[in-house]
Short mmCIF file of all heavy atoms in Angstrom, two decimals:
data_model
loop_
_atom_site.label_atom_id
_atom_site.label_comp_id
_atom_site.label_asym_id
_atom_site.label_seq_id
_atom_site.Cartn_x
_atom_site.Cartn_y
_atom_site.Cartn_z
N GLU A 187 3.02 24.38 47.68
CA GLU A 187 1.61 24.58 48.09
C GLU A 187 1.18 25.97 48.03
O GLU A 187 -0.06 26.30 48.12
CB GLU A 187 1.29 23.97 49.51
CG GLU A 187 1.14 22.37 49.50
CD GLU A 187 2.51 21.74 49.45
OE1 GLU A 187 3.46 22.28 50.02
OE2 GLU A 187 2.61 20.71 48.89
N GLU A 188 2.19 26.91 48.13
CA GLU A 188 1.80 28.28 48.17
C GLU A 188 1.18 28.81 46.97
O GLU A 188 1.59 28.50 45.82
CB GLU A 188 3.03 29.18 48.32
CG GLU A 188 3.38 29.39 49.76
CD GLU A 188 4.56 30.37 49.94
OE1 GLU A 188 4.49 31.42 49.34
OE2 GLU A 188 5.60 30.02 50.63
N PRO A 189 0.03 29.54 47.09
CA PRO A 189 -0.68 30.12 45.88
C PRO A 189 0.25 31.04 45.07
O PRO A 189 0.97 31.83 45.60
CB PRO A 189 -1.86 30.83 46.40
CG PRO A 189 -1.65 31.02 47.81
CD PRO A 189 -0.56 30.11 48.27
N MET A 190 0.23 30.92 43.73
CA MET A 190 1.01 31.63 42.81
C MET A 190 0.10 31.96 41.62
O MET A 190 0.17 31.31 40.71
CB MET A 190 2.26 30.89 42.38
CG MET A 190 3.30 31.82 41.61
SD MET A 190 4.58 30.84 41.06
CE MET A 190 5.68 30.81 42.46
N PRO A 191 -0.71 33.10 41.82
CA PRO A 191 -1.70 33.36 40.75
C PRO A 191 -1.09 34.11 39.58
O PRO A 191 -1.81 34.96 39.05
CB PRO A 191 -2.78 34.13 41.50
CG PRO A 191 -2.02 34.91 42.59
CD PRO A 191 -0.71 34.09 42.92
N TYR A 192 0.01 33.83 39.01
CA TYR A 192 0.59 34.46 37.85
C TYR A 192 1.61 33.54 37.26
O TYR A 192 2.10 32.67 37.90
CB TYR A 192 1.19 35.85 38.30
CG TYR A 192 1.96 35.81 39.54
CD1 TYR A 192 3.26 35.23 39.62
CD2 TYR A 192 1.51 36.36 40.71
CE1 TYR A 192 3.93 35.20 40.81
CE2 TYR A 192 2.10 36.40 41.88
CZ TYR A 192 3.38 35.73 41.95
OH TYR A 192 3.99 35.72 43.14
N PHE A 193 1.94 33.82 36.03
CA PHE A 193 3.06 33.16 35.37
C PHE A 193 4.21 34.26 35.51
O PHE A 193 4.00 35.42 35.21
CB PHE A 193 2.60 32.94 33.96
CG PHE A 193 3.63 32.95 32.81
CD1 PHE A 193 4.85 32.40 32.87
CD2 PHE A 193 3.37 33.78 31.57
CE1 PHE A 193 5.70 32.38 31.90
CE2 PHE A 193 4.26 33.84 30.64
CZ PHE A 193 5.49 33.07 30.75
N THR A 194 5.39 33.76 35.90
CA THR A 194 6.49 34.73 35.88
C THR A 194 7.46 34.57 34.73
O THR A 194 7.83 33.40 34.48
CB THR A 194 7.23 34.39 37.20
OG1 THR A 194 6.39 34.31 38.34
CG2 THR A 194 8.27 35.34 37.53
N ALA A 195 7.81 35.69 34.25
CA ALA A 195 8.75 35.72 33.02
C ALA A 195 10.06 36.41 33.63
O ALA A 195 9.93 37.48 34.25
CB ALA A 195 8.23 36.40 31.88
N ILE A 196 11.22 35.73 33.48
CA ILE A 196 12.41 36.33 34.03
C ILE A 196 13.39 36.72 32.94
O ILE A 196 13.62 35.79 32.08
CB ILE A 196 13.09 35.28 35.00
CG1 ILE A 196 12.05 34.83 36.15
CG2 ILE A 196 14.35 35.89 35.79
CD1 ILE A 196 11.73 33.51 36.25
N PHE A 197 13.97 37.82 33.02
CA PHE A 197 14.98 38.25 31.95
C PHE A 197 16.32 38.47 32.65
O PHE A 197 16.28 39.23 33.68
CB PHE A 197 14.47 39.53 31.32
CG PHE A 197 13.19 39.33 30.53
CD1 PHE A 197 11.94 39.52 31.15
CD2 PHE A 197 13.16 38.84 29.19
CE1 PHE A 197 10.75 39.26 30.42
CE2 PHE A 197 12.06 38.61 28.54
CZ PHE A 197 10.77 38.91 29.13
N ASP A 198 17.36 37.86 32.19
CA ASP A 198 18.59 38.08 32.90
C ASP A 198 19.71 37.80 31.61
O ASP A 198 20.01 36.68 31.40
CB ASP A 198 18.79 37.17 34.03
CG ASP A 198 20.15 37.41 34.70
OD1 ASP A 198 21.04 38.21 34.22
OD2 ASP A 198 20.34 36.86 35.75
N GLN A 199 20.19 38.85 31.19
CA GLN A 199 21.17 38.75 30.14
C GLN A 199 22.41 37.97 30.49
O GLN A 199 23.11 37.47 29.66
CB GLN A 199 21.56 40.17 29.63
CG GLN A 199 21.81 40.36 28.23
CD GLN A 199 20.54 40.42 27.37
OE1 GLN A 199 19.39 40.50 28.03
NE2 GLN A 199 20.62 40.26 26.10
N GLU A 200 22.80 37.92 31.75
CA GLU A 200 24.00 37.21 32.21
C GLU A 200 23.81 35.71 32.00
O GLU A 200 24.77 34.90 31.84
CB GLU A 200 24.19 37.42 33.72
CG GLU A 200 25.03 38.73 34.01
CD GLU A 200 25.08 38.82 35.61
OE1 GLU A 200 24.98 37.83 36.24
OE2 GLU A 200 25.17 39.95 36.03
N ILE A 201 22.50 35.29 31.99
CA ILE A 201 22.20 33.90 31.97
C ILE A 201 21.85 33.41 30.54
O ILE A 201 22.28 32.40 30.09
CB ILE A 201 20.92 33.46 32.85
CG1 ILE A 201 21.34 33.95 34.40
CG2 ILE A 201 20.55 32.07 32.85
CD1 ILE A 201 22.43 33.15 35.04
N THR A 202 20.98 34.24 29.94
CA THR A 202 20.44 33.91 28.57
C THR A 202 19.95 35.14 27.79
O THR A 202 19.43 36.04 28.44
CB THR A 202 19.28 32.83 28.70
OG1 THR A 202 18.84 32.65 27.27
CG2 THR A 202 18.19 33.33 29.59
N ASP A 203 20.05 35.06 26.60
CA ASP A 203 19.51 36.31 25.77
C ASP A 203 18.11 35.92 25.42
O ASP A 203 17.49 36.70 24.62
CB ASP A 203 20.40 36.49 24.49
CG ASP A 203 20.48 35.31 23.63
OD1 ASP A 203 20.03 34.21 24.00
OD2 ASP A 203 20.96 35.49 22.47
N PHE A 204 17.68 34.80 25.95
CA PHE A 204 16.09 34.50 25.74
C PHE A 204 15.48 34.86 27.13
O PHE A 204 15.73 35.80 27.80
CB PHE A 204 15.93 33.14 25.24
CG PHE A 204 14.71 32.91 24.24
CD1 PHE A 204 14.42 31.61 23.74
CD2 PHE A 204 13.81 33.94 24.09
CE1 PHE A 204 13.41 31.57 22.80
CE2 PHE A 204 12.79 33.82 23.25
CZ PHE A 204 12.50 32.55 22.62
N TYR A 205 14.72 33.84 27.65
CA TYR A 205 14.09 34.16 28.97
C TYR A 205 13.82 32.85 29.74
O TYR A 205 14.00 31.74 29.27
CB TYR A 205 12.86 35.02 28.84
CG TYR A 205 11.53 34.24 28.50
CD1 TYR A 205 10.57 34.18 29.36
CD2 TYR A 205 11.42 33.81 27.00
CE1 TYR A 205 9.32 33.60 29.00
CE2 TYR A 205 10.20 33.19 26.84
CZ TYR A 205 9.17 33.03 27.71
OH TYR A 205 7.96 32.50 27.38
N ALA A 206 13.37 32.96 30.91
CA ALA A 206 13.17 31.89 31.90
C ALA A 206 11.71 32.07 32.43
O ALA A 206 11.12 33.24 32.20
CB ALA A 206 14.13 31.88 32.89
N TRP A 207 11.10 31.09 33.06
CA TRP A 207 9.70 31.18 33.43
C TRP A 207 9.46 30.29 34.73
O TRP A 207 10.21 29.35 34.93
CB TRP A 207 8.62 30.74 32.40
CG TRP A 207 9.06 29.35 31.73
CD1 TRP A 207 8.71 28.25 32.09
CD2 TRP A 207 9.95 29.10 30.73
NE1 TRP A 207 9.19 27.25 31.45
CE2 TRP A 207 9.95 27.75 30.46
CE3 TRP A 207 10.74 29.91 29.72
CZ2 TRP A 207 10.83 27.09 29.45
CZ3 TRP A 207 11.62 29.36 28.85
CH2 TRP A 207 11.56 27.88 28.61
N VAL A 208 8.45 30.77 35.41
CA VAL A 208 8.03 29.92 36.61
C VAL A 208 6.45 29.94 36.38
O VAL A 208 5.86 30.89 36.25
CB VAL A 208 8.35 30.57 37.96
CG1 VAL A 208 7.73 29.65 39.05
CG2 VAL A 208 9.77 30.72 38.10
N ILE A 209 5.91 28.72 36.40
CA ILE A 209 4.52 28.53 36.10
C ILE A 209 3.90 27.56 37.18
O ILE A 209 4.38 26.53 37.40
CB ILE A 209 4.26 27.93 34.77
CG1 ILE A 209 4.78 28.89 33.65
CG2 ILE A 209 2.77 27.82 34.41
CD1 ILE A 209 4.90 28.20 32.30
N PRO A 210 2.88 27.99 37.95
CA PRO A 210 2.29 27.11 38.87
C PRO A 210 1.29 26.12 38.21
O PRO A 210 0.67 26.45 37.24
CB PRO A 210 1.38 28.00 39.79
CG PRO A 210 1.04 29.17 38.88
CD PRO A 210 2.10 29.40 37.84
N LYS A 211 1.43 24.85 38.67
CA LYS A 211 0.52 23.77 38.15
C LYS A 211 0.18 22.81 39.04
O LYS A 211 1.02 21.92 39.44
CB LYS A 211 1.36 23.14 36.99
CG LYS A 211 1.21 23.76 35.60
CD LYS A 211 1.80 23.07 34.51
CE LYS A 211 2.06 24.01 33.32
NZ LYS A 211 0.90 24.36 32.59
N ASP A 212 -1.12 22.78 39.49
CA ASP A 212 -1.70 21.78 40.28
C ASP A 212 -0.76 21.41 41.48
O ASP A 212 -0.35 20.22 41.66
CB ASP A 212 -1.95 20.50 39.36
CG ASP A 212 -3.28 20.51 38.88
OD1 ASP A 212 -4.24 21.38 39.24
OD2 ASP A 212 -3.64 19.68 37.98
N GLY A 213 -0.46 22.39 42.36
CA GLY A 213 0.32 22.04 43.61
C GLY A 213 1.76 21.84 43.21
O GLY A 213 2.64 21.39 44.15
N GLN A 214 2.27 22.27 42.09
CA GLN A 214 3.77 22.17 41.80
C GLN A 214 4.02 23.55 41.13
O GLN A 214 3.12 24.17 40.50
CB GLN A 214 4.03 21.09 40.83
CG GLN A 214 3.69 19.76 41.32
CD GLN A 214 4.53 18.71 40.50
OE1 GLN A 214 5.64 18.53 40.75
NE2 GLN A 214 3.77 17.90 39.80
N ILE A 215 5.32 23.91 41.09
CA ILE A 215 5.74 24.95 40.15
C ILE A 215 6.84 24.41 39.16
O ILE A 215 7.57 23.52 39.54
CB ILE A 215 6.22 26.16 40.91
CG1 ILE A 215 7.43 25.82 41.93
CG2 ILE A 215 5.25 27.04 41.59
CD1 ILE A 215 8.21 26.97 42.47
N LEU A 216 6.62 25.01 38.10
CA LEU A 216 7.58 24.62 36.88
C LEU A 216 8.46 25.75 36.67
O LEU A 216 8.08 26.78 36.37
CB LEU A 216 6.62 24.30 35.70
CG LEU A 216 7.03 24.23 34.31
CD1 LEU A 216 8.18 23.07 34.22
CD2 LEU A 216 5.90 23.93 33.41
N PHE A 217 9.80 25.38 36.84
CA PHE A 217 10.82 26.47 36.53
C PHE A 217 11.53 26.06 35.29
O PHE A 217 12.09 24.91 35.21
CB PHE A 217 11.78 26.59 37.71
CG PHE A 217 13.02 27.41 37.32
CD1 PHE A 217 12.93 28.67 36.84
CD2 PHE A 217 14.30 26.93 37.61
CE1 PHE A 217 14.00 29.43 36.43
CE2 PHE A 217 15.41 27.64 37.34
CZ PHE A 217 15.32 28.81 36.75
N GLY A 218 11.55 26.89 34.27
CA GLY A 218 12.25 26.52 33.01
C GLY A 218 12.96 27.78 32.52
O GLY A 218 12.71 28.91 32.79
N ALA A 219 13.98 27.41 31.69
CA ALA A 219 14.72 28.49 30.98
C ALA A 219 15.18 27.87 29.61
O ALA A 219 15.45 26.85 29.41
CB ALA A 219 16.00 28.77 31.86
N ALA A 220 15.15 28.94 28.68
CA ALA A 220 15.64 28.62 27.32
C ALA A 220 17.08 29.16 27.32
O ALA A 220 17.30 30.49 27.46
CB ALA A 220 14.77 29.30 26.28
N LEU A 221 18.10 28.33 27.00
CA LEU A 221 19.53 28.64 27.23
C LEU A 221 20.21 28.36 25.81
O LEU A 221 19.83 27.48 25.14
CB LEU A 221 20.09 27.94 28.34
CG LEU A 221 19.39 28.02 29.72
CD1 LEU A 221 19.58 26.67 30.42
CD2 LEU A 221 19.90 29.24 30.42
N ARG A 222 21.35 29.09 25.63
CA ARG A 222 22.20 28.73 24.56
C ARG A 222 22.75 27.34 24.81
O ARG A 222 23.36 27.23 25.94
CB ARG A 222 23.28 29.78 24.47
CG ARG A 222 22.89 31.17 24.03
CD ARG A 222 22.82 31.25 22.45
NE ARG A 222 22.36 32.47 22.00
CZ ARG A 222 22.09 32.74 20.70
NH1 ARG A 222 22.27 31.80 19.83
NH2 ARG A 222 21.60 33.88 20.38
N PRO A 223 22.75 26.50 23.94
CA PRO A 223 23.33 25.14 24.13
C PRO A 223 24.82 25.23 24.40
O PRO A 223 25.43 26.17 23.80
CB PRO A 223 23.00 24.31 22.86
CG PRO A 223 22.16 25.14 22.08
CD PRO A 223 22.26 26.53 22.49
N GLY A 224 25.36 24.34 25.15
CA GLY A 224 26.85 24.47 25.39
C GLY A 224 27.06 23.90 26.80
O GLY A 224 26.16 23.66 27.54
N PRO A 225 28.37 23.78 27.11
CA PRO A 225 28.78 23.18 28.41
C PRO A 225 28.25 24.05 29.60
O PRO A 225 28.09 23.58 30.72
CB PRO A 225 30.30 23.21 28.36
CG PRO A 225 30.69 24.07 27.24
CD PRO A 225 29.43 24.14 26.35
N ASP A 226 27.91 25.41 29.35
CA ASP A 226 27.54 26.36 30.45
C ASP A 226 26.00 26.26 30.72
O ASP A 226 25.61 26.80 31.76
CB ASP A 226 27.83 27.80 30.06
CG ASP A 226 29.28 28.01 29.99
OD1 ASP A 226 30.12 27.06 30.38
OD2 ASP A 226 29.65 29.09 29.38
N ALA A 227 25.25 25.61 29.90
CA ALA A 227 23.79 25.58 29.99
C ALA A 227 23.33 25.21 31.36
O ALA A 227 22.49 25.93 32.08
CB ALA A 227 23.20 24.82 28.85
N ALA A 228 23.73 24.03 31.87
CA ALA A 228 23.19 23.63 33.12
C ALA A 228 23.77 24.45 34.28
O ALA A 228 22.95 24.70 35.24
CB ALA A 228 23.74 22.11 33.30
N GLU A 229 24.97 24.91 34.12
CA GLU A 229 25.48 25.78 35.15
C GLU A 229 24.63 27.08 35.28
O GLU A 229 24.34 27.53 36.32
CB GLU A 229 26.92 26.10 34.82
CG GLU A 229 27.79 26.72 36.13
CD GLU A 229 29.13 27.17 35.61
OE1 GLU A 229 29.77 26.30 34.83
OE2 GLU A 229 29.49 28.30 35.85
#
Side-chain angles (χ1 to χ4, degrees):
E187 284 79 35
E188 267 188 51
M190 189 184 277
Y192 41 75
F193 148 50
T194 308
I196 304 121
F197 298 90
D198 184 348
Q199 217 70 15
E200 276 178 25
I201 302 292
T202 175
D203 60 353
F204 214 176
Y205 81 111
W207 52 89
V208 179
I209 303 168
K211 268 185 206 286
D212 269 350
Q214 300 201 68
I215 53 168
L216 163 58
F217 167 53
L221 306 149
R222 291 273 179 187
D226 297 345
E229 194 188 311

